[in-house]
Amino acid sequence: GAVVSQHPSWVICKSGTSVKIECRSLDFQATTMFWYRQFPKQSLMLMATSNEGSKATYEQGVEKDKFLINHASLTLSTLTVTSAHPEDSSFYICSAWGTGQRIILNSPLHFGNGTRLTVT
Amino acid sequence: SQKIEQNSEALNIQEGKTATLTCNYTNYSPAYLQWYRQDPGRGPVFLLLIRENEKEKRKERLKVTFDTTLKQSLFHITASQPADSATYLCALLINDYKLSFGAGTTVTVRA
């Protein structure tokens, strides 16, 4: 149980275009999902918390107008990288607490398999 | 500021030996600590959780210790196998249900 699916697994786009990444909870409902970014040999850095039916909460230094997050249903959150530039090239990973709407703080976080974004 | 540090970026060991990884943290008072495994190009996978009142936790060939006085957790892989080769991440819960991760230690087990 508690499977998180992320799509696409990789994408190459031209500078200035926008890219949408989908994150789905397959067998549970998630009111809250998290988006992380990971550069090579670095830690996962939390970008934002996606809340179903309300605005996302962004971490300090993350541009909300550049990284648009939509969490329109209990099983789907999307991250859109707008006007992408080469420095946005990274590994983007979504996650959710597998306990669904009721977050149990000592439960594990379930991750998607990530999306490798390359901006040329 | 809050920091999570994993002692080394890479660890190479011989098959059958025990790998020991360190996670140190500052300016946190976590109720628990988690360890994840990440394979190249994949998302992290949960391995173990240890609570602040637990000294040690085991799962198969994995063992985790947690010393809240030293602000340190040790992660051991005993009888290591080439299939254990991966990056191992420690993580702490910070406010608002968010997990903060260390940079990870990449373990390579030689046959």
Side-chain angles (χ1 to χ4, degrees), chain A residues 11-83:
Chain A
V11 58
I12 301 172
C13 70
K14 292 186 177 180
S15 186
T17 61
S18 296
V19 173
K20 180 185 283 188
I21 302 169
E22 293 187 347
C23 179
R24 294 181 186 274
S25 56
L26 296 187
D27 50 359
F28 67 101
Q29 295 181 330
T31 54
T32 302
M33 291 184 175
F34 304 93
W35 287 95
Y36 288 85
R37 179 168 56 183
Q38 187 177 36
F39 292 105
K41 296 190 176 183
Q42 292 189 25
S43 180
L44 281 79
M45 296 302 298
L46 181 64
M47 298 175 66
T49 303
S50 172
N51 303 298
E52 187 268 336
S54 64
K55 291 183 179 180
T57 305
Y58 291 81
E59 296 301 303
Q60 191 173 10
V62 178
E63 300 175 56
K64 62 179 182 180
D65 294 330
K66 181 167 185 62
F67 299 99
L68 300 180
I69 292 172
N70 183 279
H71 195 152
S73 78
L74 287 171
T75 59
L76 175 64
S77 174
T78 60
L79 169 68
T80 301
V81 182
T82 63
S83 187

Side-chain angles (χ1 to χ4, degrees), chain A residues 36 38 43 59 105-106 109, chain B residues 32 36 51 98-99 101:
Chain A
Y36 288 85
Q38 187 177 36
S43 180
E59 296 301 303
L105 295 182
N106 60 359
L109 201 59
Chain B
Y32 63 85
Y36 289 77
R51 296 179 176 81
K98 296 181 286 192
L99 272 187
F101 287 83

